[in-house]
Amino acid sequence: MDNKKSNQEIDRRDFFKKAAASVTAIAGTSLISSNARADDPAIMKHVPWGQTWGDPVTKNRYGVPSKYEHNVLRRNTKLLASGNFRASIAVTPLQESMGIITPNGLFFSRSHGGTAHIDPAEYRLMIHGLIEKPIVLTLEELKRYPSVSRIHFIECPANGGQEWRGPQFNSLQFAKGFMASAQWTGTYLKTILADLGVKKEALWMLAEGSDSSEMGRTIPIDKVWDDAMIVWGQNGEALRPEQGYPVRIVLPGWEGNLCVKWLKRLEFAAAPWYAKEETAKYTDLKPTGKAIQHFYANEVNSTVTSPSPEIDWTSLKDGDIVEIQGLAWSGMGTITGVDLSFDGGRNYVKAYLKGLVLPKSWTRWAYMYTYKKGKELLLTSRATDDAGYIQPTIDQEVSVMGVEAVYHRNAVETWEVTKTGKVNHVEIRTMKKVKDA
Amino acid sequence: MLKFNRKLILSMSTAAALALLTAGCMGASTSITHATTEANGKATIDGGSTYPVVNDKTGPYYVDPQVAADAPKINNGRVPTANEIAAWNTDIMPDGTGLPEGSGTADEGSDIYDAKCVACHGDFGSGGGGYPSLSKGNAYDLQKTLTNNRWKDPEADGPVREFGSYWPKATTLFWYIKDAMPHPFTKSLSDDQVYALVAYILNVNEMKIDGIDVDDDYVLNREKLLKIKMPNRNGFEPNIDGPQALDDVRAFYADAANFGAQKIKKGATPCMKNCQAPTAIVVHIKGAGISNFLPPMSDARNLPAEKKVAVNPASVYKNTCEMCHGNGVGPALGNKAEWAPYLAHGMKKVYANAIHGTDGGMPAKGGSSLSDADFKTVVDYLINGK
């Protein structure tokens, strides 16, 4: 590169004008003739970061994202807020997610009394109730148990719960971002219990947090002996405060609310507790007037993540080949397949699973698509899992659950691509009117 | 093809072992060994898959056989004292376990409510401003709204889910207020105060105990609280009470129709053509929908708008100037005598020297990257000591 040239100003506007003209001239071809366009100043000029020192390695002892990524954030809305954002939720930007892991700083954050900040030196976990030998563990003693690391999503069962009666959020982040995924490191609860003599009559376990809301939930003993984990690690580092530092319980696949954070106590009993979050909330009212309680698992689900209302297709040109991407997940098993529809779930083609396909985990899927400018699409994805479940249509789900359930909505999700490539969140459903009901 | 953990197979019923074998060998698109029954042959509690340890693996994950096969009895921690258990075992169960003695009237509760709760929960528990309401009127009447469902009539009233009309147990209310309210000073109420508040909330929900109205003078205590029959106590499924509760839960989730799920037969292809009801239409968001996102939605990859923050001279001094000026190299913070010879040249000169640096050892701007204006603020601070 010519060093003198680096100081010369190349008119960027001129460049883009010429480039645009050359693109129209040869639309449809992907190889652009080398002398049809102006030289790109991003290539022709020395870049500022190439002509001076960068930061010393001593800067940012704990690394942070590039300053250019400042819009990739957890977001909230006042309509989902209570208690000065202390009994509230901030959701994960799924439109920017990659792979099947969420960076810890973007993991959705939900609490009922604010994020607690626990001194690890004062941390204690007490296990008692219907067991031969109650114990209390310090953090150090807890971490001495043999560790396991597992990749699991955690989903608030109210993910999509604002949209039972129709679409509300023209945003992937808000329509589906009440979830995130991490590799959790901890120990199986059953490993701790091996020495404690859990009694036969113990059918239930209370998991209780030490935060201001003292959040507690009743867990059936089956999960305790299956895959319940007491975790202290999240993607290779200590849990973040928002995820329950220093210790939470993770019940793979089950409601995020059941995965009690800032965990302080596990008690075994013969009867369930009826905590506020398993009666007043996290119960699914059906049209029969009965509400489902103890609705543990998040059912099979999926969504398109690219395109999204946030990052749409308005910059695509006719004939561009683009990857439609999405996530599929099931708290009831392993994803076995995903189908994709271009007409709102009327007709489907098979989409392709990508990368690791793990139990009770986010699974990436994709479909290569040749973009046709001006064509309207209704992108709907539909997943199946190895327990035999398939996502219902909205009509199927609503016919049993009605529209007042709030939680556990897993009907297929549809994203409309308009003629100009904008993306809108829509629902494909039968709308009942008073008269024809 | 698969080497099974003998212990596991022996410990399982034949049916379960068979189910496991089938699942393991026949799973078409996934080679992950799963089962929908537990080791005892019963259906899983949540209607989903489980991944028994087979060949030292659970699903795709290897497990350390030293831990998995026969969980070793690791003896960490210590037995808590009786006082320690009592200090933390403060939950309250529907049968009264953990419910303390004490009493209070609705009238007393009303006073406490006005002092500690009304700011968020509104007059008579009416809620508002994003805070939950604690009553919407008569609990027994409102319980009847729980069959309201706006799928038949979008304009109709929805179900009213308040403490009085919806919650199955009254002990939940006592427990929750005692542990988690009032924000932000939780765990600050006495047992008598909580009894009084519960009495008040029963009062505004127009509830009765043993046929008697919980009026202003009603004295609520442990015995009476345990007599409360919530209007919606039978409003929940599956059953979770009694020794057979877990089997009831299992049976409930074994039937997908109970919870709005869909299953496809093993090996069958899902619907690929005409999979929507003919009556289904495209429903768009009404207006802008919910869109007041914080911070506003953006995927721009630019530099964040710079926020003009006022320079904090004390902290710049600490981080940048003190290592010299606080150690006898250069005039000291606020030391009039030491600064006098410099100030004699006039402030203009002092600023200029400090900005450009001096041969006497002052680096340009003291090595900082502050703007001239901000740097001058720090110089003023260094000279005056405040």
Side-chain angles (χ1 to χ4, degrees):
Chain A
M1 193 187 285
D2 178 358
N3 267 326
K4 277 181 231 139
K5 216 172 182 180
S6 72
N7 294 325
Q8 280 170 14
E9 254 317 304
I10 299 177
D11 185 1
R12 276 169 179 270
R13 234 184 291 141
D14 189 41
F15 161 73
F16 284 115
K17 230 187 279 163
K18 278 192 201 149
S22 73
V23 167
T24 353
I26 45 151
T29 0
S30 55
L31 291 174
I32 292 170
S33 138
S34 60
N35 35 17
R37 61 191 298 171
D39 298 324
D40 183 349
I43 297 169
M44 300 309 293
K45 277 177 54 170
H46 274 300
V47 288
W49 53 89
Q51 285 190 303
T52 183
W53 268 0
D55 292 338
V57 295
T58 49
K59 193 176 176 187
N60 290 341
R61 298 289 183 171
Y62 190 96
V64 295
S66 160
K67 59 191 174 186
Y68 291 92
E69 298 292 315
H70 66 102
N71 280 316
V72 184
L73 297 169
R74 288 193 285 240
R75 288 188 168 81
N76 62 281
T77 162
K78 282 190 176 146
L79 276 147
L80 295 172
S82 193
N84 301 318
F85 301 116
R86 287 346 194 277
S88 194
I89 188 164
V91 298
T92 295
L94 292 185
Q95 67 276 16
E96 303 275 9
S97 69
M98 306 168 204
I100 58 170
I101 295 289
T102 309
N104 291 341
L106 296 175
F107 207 99
F108 84 98
S109 172
R110 166 77 166 119
S111 68
H112 291 265
T115 297
H117 294 276
I118 296 178
D119 176 353
E122 283 185 42
Y123 178 79
R124 302 289 183 273
L125 175 64
M126 188 183 285
I127 307 178
H128 71 110
L130 288 178
I131 56 178
E132 301 293 346
K133 177 185 153 191
I135 57 165
V136 57
L137 295 163
T138 63
L139 186 57
E140 196 198 338
E141 287 162 347
L142 177 63
K143 287 182 175 176
R144 240 184 264 143
Y145 285 94
S147 71
V148 288
S149 294
R150 299 281 182 268
I151 295 176
H152 293 296
F153 68 89
I154 290 186
E155 182 181 23
C156 171
N159 199 12
Q162 294 68 36
E163 304 187 301
W164 281 97
R165 294 194 283 134
Q168 301 282 337
F169 293 118
N170 207 20
S171 154
L172 175 63
Q173 179 161 9
F174 282 87
K176 283 285 170 212
F178 294 41
M179 63 166 177
S181 166
Q183 186 193 48
W184 305 101
T185 295
T187 190
Y188 278 132
L189 179 51
K190 60 191 171 195
T191 306
I192 303 180
L193 295 178
D195 186 41
L196 305 186
V198 178
K199 294 183 182 163
K200 271 228 161 56
E201 318 85 82
L203 302 183
W204 306 100
M205 180 184 80
L206 176 74
E208 192 178 62
S210 71
D211 62 309
S212 137
S213 76
E214 205 91 1
M215 240 284 302
R217 289 284 310 255
T218 301
I219 296 161
I221 196 86
D222 300 58
K223 192 68 169 175
V224 172
W225 292 122
D226 186 11
D227 56 1
M229 291 170 74
I230 304 295
V231 313
W232 51 81
Q234 175 182 0
N235 292 331
E237 63 176 0
L239 288 179
R240 288 290 170 89
E242 295 88 336
Q243 272 70 58
Y245 179 88
V247 175
R248 80 181 301 175
I249 186 165
V250 168
L251 305 177
W254 287 17
E255 293 186 335
N257 183 265
L258 277 158
C259 302
V260 174
K261 306 193 274 195
W262 310 293
L263 185 70
K264 107 184 216 193
R265 188 165 75 95
L266 300 172
E267 181 180 0
F268 290 87
W273 274 263
Y274 290 88
K276 180 202 144 209
E277 306 302 342
E278 57 202 23
T279 54
K281 305 288 171 334
Y282 301 95
T283 47
D284 288 47
L285 185 56
K286 303 206 288 193
T288 56
K290 292 255 181 187
I292 301 177
Q293 61 184 348
H294 284 238
F295 199 155
Y296 307 122
N298 289 303
E299 302 151 82
V300 65
N301 216 329
S302 71
T303 183
V304 171
T305 57
S306 175
S308 64
E310 289 92 337
I311 304 177
D312 61 23
W313 277 354
T314 45
S315 62
L316 290 192
K317 301 182 299 295
D318 191 56
D320 277 353
I321 295 177
V322 63
E323 185 182 46
I324 296 171
Q325 266 204 63
L327 285 169
W329 64 98
S330 171
M332 297 174 102
T334 306
I335 293 298
T336 50
V338 175
D339 301 313
L340 177 65
S341 167
F342 296 90
D343 59 6
R346 289 195 168 75
N347 303 293
Y348 284 97
V349 295
K350 202 169 111 62
Y352 297 91
L353 304 186
K354 303 203 305 179
L356 293 173
V357 179
L358 304 171
K360 302 169 186 181
S361 165
W362 276 3
T363 301
R364 277 274 159 194
W365 58 267
Y367 188 89
M368 295 307 292
Y369 180 70
T370 307
Y371 182 62
K372 180 119 190 51
K373 192 102 201 167
K375 188 174 163 63
E376 290 172 313
L377 302 171
L378 293 167
L379 299 176
T380 308
S381 63
R382 185 189 63 187
T384 53
D385 70 21
D386 67 0
Y389 295 96
I390 182 167
Q391 281 184 264
T393 63
I394 294 178
D395 285 350
Q396 283 171 330
E397 186 169 33
V398 163
S399 72
V400 176
M401 298 304 295
V403 295
E404 310 290 353
V406 182
Y407 307 98
H408 290 270
R409 198 174 75 83
N410 74 318
V412 292
E413 205 68 69
T414 300
W415 304 92
E416 173 194 61
V417 182
T418 68
K419 285 199 173 85
T420 59
K422 280 201 169 9
V423 176
N424 293 316
H425 188 205
V426 297
E427 289 185 357
I428 313 295
R429 63 192 300 174
T430 305
M431 293 305 274
K432 301 217 175 186
K433 296 266 155 50
V434 197
K435 279 150 208 105
D436 55 333
Chain B
M1 165 188 148
L2 288 169
K3 251 180 41 207
F4 284 94
N5 178 330
R6 250 226 224 101
K7 242 186 230 145
L8 172 91
I9 296 293
L10 289 177
S11 72
M12 292 166 66
S13 73
T14 331
L18 274 175
L20 172 63
L21 277 162
T22 333
C25 305
M26 314 267 293
S29 48
T30 163
S31 57
I32 295 174
T33 303
H34 75 283
T36 45
T37 51
E38 291 177 4
N40 58 13
K42 291 183 171 183
T44 51
I45 193 80
D46 60 357
S49 291
T50 178
Y51 299 87
V53 177
V54 176
N55 272 343
D56 295 341
K57 285 174 86 177
T58 166
Y61 296 102
Y62 280 92
V63 290
D64 178 350
Q66 299 165 290
V67 179
D70 245 327
K73 296 188 188 313
I74 301 169
N75 188 17
N76 286 356
R78 63 173 174 85
V79 175
T81 68
N83 283 339
E84 286 171 339
I85 294 183
W88 275 14
N89 187 16
T90 56
D91 60 77
I92 294 166
M93 301 181 88
D95 68 357
T97 306
L99 182 63
E101 296 292 345
S103 69
T105 65
D107 226 6
E108 290 160 4
S110 172
D111 290 344
I112 303 166
Y113 183 87
D114 286 345
K116 294 177 188 273
C117 322
V118 74
C120 295
H121 291 291
D123 290 336
F124 309 107
S126 57
Y131 293 98
S133 49
L134 307 180
S135 166
K136 284 256 159 41
N138 185 283
Y140 307 93
D141 293 343
L142 292 176
Q143 194 268 335
K144 301 195 181 84
T145 68
L146 296 179
T147 48
N148 292 3
N149 218 286
R150 285 167 283 183
W151 62 310
K152 289 181 181 155
D153 179 358
E155 310 304 319
D157 291 334
V160 179
R161 278 167 279 198
E162 296 297 323
F163 160 73
S165 62
Y166 191 62
W167 297 25
K169 307 286 180 193
T171 44
T172 309
L173 183 66
F174 191 104
W175 180 21
Y176 181 70
I177 294 175
K178 180 90 207 227
D179 270 1
M181 283 293 136
H183 283 187
F185 307 110
T186 51
K187 304 172 184 72
S188 60
L189 299 169
S190 72
D191 293 337
D192 286 346
Q193 283 179 313
V194 179
Y195 274 110
L197 283 163
V198 170
Y200 175 71
I201 293 170
L202 291 166
N203 175 284
V204 293
N205 280 276
E206 299 173 30
M207 290 178 63
K208 296 174 195 292
I209 300 178
D210 253 355
I212 297 166
D213 285 334
V214 181
D215 57 19
D216 293 352
D217 309 323
Y218 191 96
V219 185
L220 184 69
N221 58 24
R222 184 176 189 279
E223 188 194 346
K224 286 184 189 146
L225 192 146
L226 291 175
K227 281 190 182 150
I228 297 171
K229 285 199 161 63
M230 295 300 291
N232 196 39
R233 61 191 176 282
N234 296 320
F236 294 84
E237 60 186 22
N239 169 58
I240 53 168
D241 295 321
Q244 79 303 335
L246 295 179
D247 286 335
D248 290 348
V249 175
R250 258 186 266 284
F252 184 84
Y253 289 111
D255 184 354
N258 282 331
F259 55 103
Q262 294 283 324
K263 277 198 151 178
I264 43 168
K265 289 221 174 63
K266 229 203 172 89
T269 359
C271 170
M272 299 303 275
K273 294 244 165 309
N274 288 322
C275 309
Q276 286 281 10
T279 48
I281 54 165
V282 183
V283 180
H284 284 91
I285 295 172
K286 283 204 187 106
I290 306 173
S291 53
N292 57 342
F293 305 137
L294 302 170
M297 196 58 78
S298 168
D299 66 315
R301 288 193 153 69
N302 51 12
L303 288 178
E306 274 197 38
K307 277 191 223 108
K308 256 274 167 245
V309 279
V311 67
N312 176 347
S315 97
V316 176
Y317 170 76
K318 260 231 134 331
N319 294 323
T320 315
C321 323
E322 189 179 36
M323 58 174 151
C324 296
H325 288 268
N327 284 305
V329 183
L333 180 70
N335 186 321
K336 287 210 171 73
E338 288 183 28
W339 278 103
Y342 295 92
L343 298 180
H345 299 123
M347 274 314 284
K348 214 169 158 195
K349 186 79 189 151
V350 171
Y351 287 138
N353 282 351
I355 287 171
H356 300 297
T358 71
D359 295 339
M362 168 65 189
K365 287 192 183 172
S368 76
S369 56
L370 296 171
S371 68
D372 286 4
D374 284 348
F375 179 71
K376 285 179 185 169
T377 313
V378 182
V379 170
D380 295 347
Y381 171 83
L382 182 56
I383 295 171
N384 300 319
K386 56 182 190 287

